[in-house]
Amino acid sequence: MLKRKEFILGAAAGLIVAAGATAGGVITWPGAHAETRPGQLVPSAGAGLAFAPPQGAPLSFADIVQQVAPAVVQIEVEARVERPAGGGIQIPGFPGFVIPGPQGGQGQEEDAEPQTARGAGSGFFISRDGFIVTNNHVVADAVSIKVVLTDGRRMDATLVGRDEGSDLAVIKVQGDDFSFVSFEEGAQPRVGDWVVAVGNPFGLGGTATAGIVSAISRQDPSGQSRGLVDFLQIDAAINRGNSGGPTFDIYGRVIGVNSAIISPTGGSVGIGFAIPASTAKPIVDKLMRGEAVERGYLGVSMGTLQDRERAALGLADTVKGAFVADVTAGGPADKAGIRPEDVIVSVNGRDTETGEALTRIVAGTAVGETLRIELYRDGRRQTVTARAERRPPQSELDALQNGSPGGDSTAPQAGAETIEGMTVQSLTPALRQRLRLSNDQRGVAITAVAPRSKAAQLGFSEGVIILNAFGRAVNSPAELKSAIEAARAAGRPGVMLRVQSPRGGSPVSVALELSED
């Protein structure tokens, strides 16, 4: 017992001595008044204690949410869905997931009613008279749109306009006395700023989550925006149903439109993406006025120059640019003489160090504007001039790059032409690679077939190669069209085609019945 008391008295005396030494500057405790080493970053809250809450950080987000929540709405849609050829329904937002339907066979109607599925998203009033901002993918292909307000009112909405490139859309409800919020363009978000997301995840309307800006200038992880948008990355939880909802700063200003997440589970893991207000506002303004969103177009397939390409081209390590993989036949780049394997380093004096940078710069130019393009070819830097054309809809560009998934797409493709229900295209290097064709393959490729067309009835699908038409070799859509016109002028009700299956084998001759017009 005595030893324990002596130990306690000794410990207390030691603490008193240590405290006195610290006050006198004799001892420096680790982490207290530590010297700052060169390059060390020391967070500071400004005046006051070093560990005080950051200036402007709210103790609660309740006041912010209470003020902005009335402007946020739930969006319910019924949309057309794809029915695969083998039966079943393709659910929007779940690629590859099909609900089985009736099996083919006797008694199945060929012209069944189109199938619809219900979906949900979020949006917000941007004006007092009923204009609502949301995502394009929320309302695309919708046959009906309903909006649910925070007070429980359900209202029919109409589509005003949508833009595939940015994934933005504007809808409208009748009325002139709605609470609304505004985009913040002046104050640019910084990494670490507080954000609040309000929306309709999994149908749970009015859900608010908070977090910070995790990063800026992120590229779309899905690749669907094709480099047209520099996203904000946020860690406020957003899930299915949050699409189209607003991201607010702590002053209740809209700094982004929630659009996408990265998730291995389908739910939030703290990696969300929002379209910045500075990008969204001018597009939304155009859509509200009923105007189409036009972007410049060059007509190249490209990516960021990589080390292996730089080495193969004999370029210096310091060269950065967009590597041209393919050029769309008849497009602005083709007319300007740009070739595959060119490396574009600047447009109108602005550096294009990445493929995304080239896309954004060209997209930001006016249709008809002259583009002064600096590029490397055969190791030498040179200048070419092109004239920007109107960028095709994103769906057409996607069809050109990825191909039709089932042979039933009727969207015309850049550098292609639709003839007798078949979308055909010359064999470009990119198309040869996608279809796994040899360099000496001749003909034109079918990239899509219209449903119920004569070509579809023959079983033509993506990848079929047309070698010959009306006794003439064809290596371009124009040559195929000319041969069919010759057959029609000769009074033939059909034309004999020599075709090759995408699975290989020997070519076969097939008679294609011609349409009447």
Side-chain angles (χ1 to χ4, degrees):
M1 186 68 178
L2 182 60
K3 290 183 179 180
R4 184 177 179 184
K5 288 182 179 179
E6 290 175 349
F7 172 79
I8 294 174
L9 290 173
L15 289 173
I16 293 171
V17 171
T22 301
V26 178
I27 299 177
T28 300
W29 295 102
H33 309 294
E35 293 183 1
T36 302
R37 291 170 293 181
Q40 180 180 356
L41 302 178
V42 181
S44 173
L49 297 175
F51 298 103
Q55 186 176 3
L59 297 177
S60 170
F61 296 100
D63 290 339
I64 301 169
V65 174
Q66 185 177 15
Q67 292 175 42
V68 301
V72 183
V73 300
Q74 304 176 50
I75 298 177
E76 299 174 352
V77 301
E78 287 190 2
R80 290 184 294 270
V81 295
E82 299 177 5
R83 179 186 287 275
I89 298 173
Q90 174 68 60
I91 301 300
F94 293 85
F97 182 80
V98 177
I99 296 178
Q103 297 297 313
Q106 296 296 327
Q108 184 176 354
E109 297 183 9
E110 182 177 346
D111 297 325
E113 288 293 324
Q115 298 296 314
T116 60
R118 293 182 178 180
S122 304
F124 56 95
F125 283 105
I126 198 65
S127 71
R128 191 178 187 85
D129 55 350
F131 285 97
I132 296 170
V133 178
T134 187
N135 280 147
N136 171 68
H137 74 260
V138 172
V139 297
D141 301 320
V143 295
S144 73
I145 307 173
K146 292 188 181 296
V147 169
V148 182
L149 279 61
T150 54
D151 59 11
R153 283 183 290 169
R154 297 172 61 88
M155 308 182 71
D156 291 329
T158 57
L159 178 65
V160 176
R162 60 190 186 93
D163 176 47
E164 291 181 336
S166 63
D167 194 26
L168 288 168
V170 173
I171 61 177
K172 192 178 189 303
V173 296
Q174 294 299 317
D176 57 5
D177 193 23
F178 297 103
S179 299
F180 67 96
V181 290
S182 301
F183 285 116
E184 171 55 36
E185 293 182 285
Q188 296 300 316
R190 301 176 304 162
V191 174
D193 281 349
W194 287 106
V195 293
V196 177
V198 183
N200 179 39
F202 302 111
L204 301 173
T207 298
T209 58
I212 63 170
V213 175
S214 303
I216 58 176
S217 299
R218 289 293 198 205
Q219 296 304 307
D220 179 4
S222 70
Q224 294 182 5
S225 73
R226 298 295 184 267
L228 294 174
V229 178
D230 274 340
F231 286 88
L232 295 176
Q233 181 184 330
I234 63 174
D235 72 348
I238 57 176
N239 289 280
R240 291 188 183 274
N242 274 110
S243 292
T247 295
F248 297 101
D249 62 14
I250 60 172
Y251 303 104
R253 304 172 301 195
V254 179
I255 62 169
V257 181
N258 299 324
S259 184
I261 63 173
I262 288 181
S263 173
T265 63
S268 174
V269 293
I271 304 176
F273 298 90
I275 304 164
S278 57
T279 298
K281 187 178 187 305
I283 294 174
V284 168
D285 287 345
K286 282 190 174 183
L287 296 177
M288 289 173 64
R289 294 193 298 265
E291 299 176 5
V293 179
E294 292 187 348
R295 297 180 174 88
Y297 175 66
L298 186 58
V300 294
S301 297
M302 46 72 197
T304 302
L305 181 68
Q306 303 296 319
D307 288 341
R308 62 181 180 276
E309 297 157 349
R310 188 181 292 108
L313 295 172
L315 297 175
D317 294 341
T318 55
V319 175
K320 297 181 179 180
F323 175 76
V324 178
D326 193 22
V327 177
T328 301
D334 186 29
K335 296 173 184 176
I338 295 176
R339 306 172 187 171
E341 300 184 9
D342 284 348
V343 177
I344 299 175
V345 295
S346 74
V347 175
N348 290 345
R350 299 174 61 186
D351 292 340
T352 56
E353 295 188 352
T354 64
E356 292 80 9
L358 175 61
T359 298
R360 286 194 300 273
I361 292 172
V362 173
T365 60
V367 176
E369 181 177 341
T370 298
L371 304 176
R372 187 174 182 274
I373 299 171
E374 299 282 338
L375 56 83
Y376 279 93
R377 178 183 298 163
D378 298 328
R380 296 187 299 273
R381 185 163 180 151
Q382 54 187 280
T383 303
V384 298
T385 301
R387 189 174 298 276
E389 295 182 4
R390 182 178 291 102
R391 183 181 176 89
Q394 193 65 41
S395 57
E396 294 182 17
L397 296 177
D398 290 342
L400 177 64
Q401 180 167 347
N402 302 321
S404 172
D408 60 353
S409 172
T410 59
Q413 302 177 15
E417 188 169 354
T418 300
I419 303 170
E420 295 295 326
M422 305 175 293
T423 301
V424 295
Q425 184 180 350
S426 300
L427 298 182
T428 62
L431 190 58
R432 290 179 188 275
Q433 182 177 6
R434 176 157 64 85
L435 298 179
R436 299 180 180 178
L437 301 175
S438 63
N439 291 332
D440 58 356
Q441 176 70 60
R442 295 293 181 264
V444 294
I446 297 177
T447 58
V449 179
R452 300 185 181 87
S453 66
K454 299 298 182 181
Q457 293 174 14
L458 289 174
F460 285 6
S461 62
E462 179 192 8
V464 169
I465 306 298
I466 301 176
L467 305 170
N468 185 290
F470 197 52
R472 306 177 182 182
V474 294
N475 290 295
S476 70
E479 291 178 352
L480 175 61
K481 186 174 183 179
S482 177
I484 290 177
E485 288 176 348
R488 196 186 301 277
R492 306 287 181 87
V495 62
M496 191 65 70
L497 302 178
R498 189 81 170 164
V499 300
Q500 186 168 358
S501 167
R503 293 179 292 275
S506 300
V508 296
S509 296
V510 179
L512 173 67
E513 183 181 347
L514 298 178
S515 59
E516 295 181 359
D517 53 1

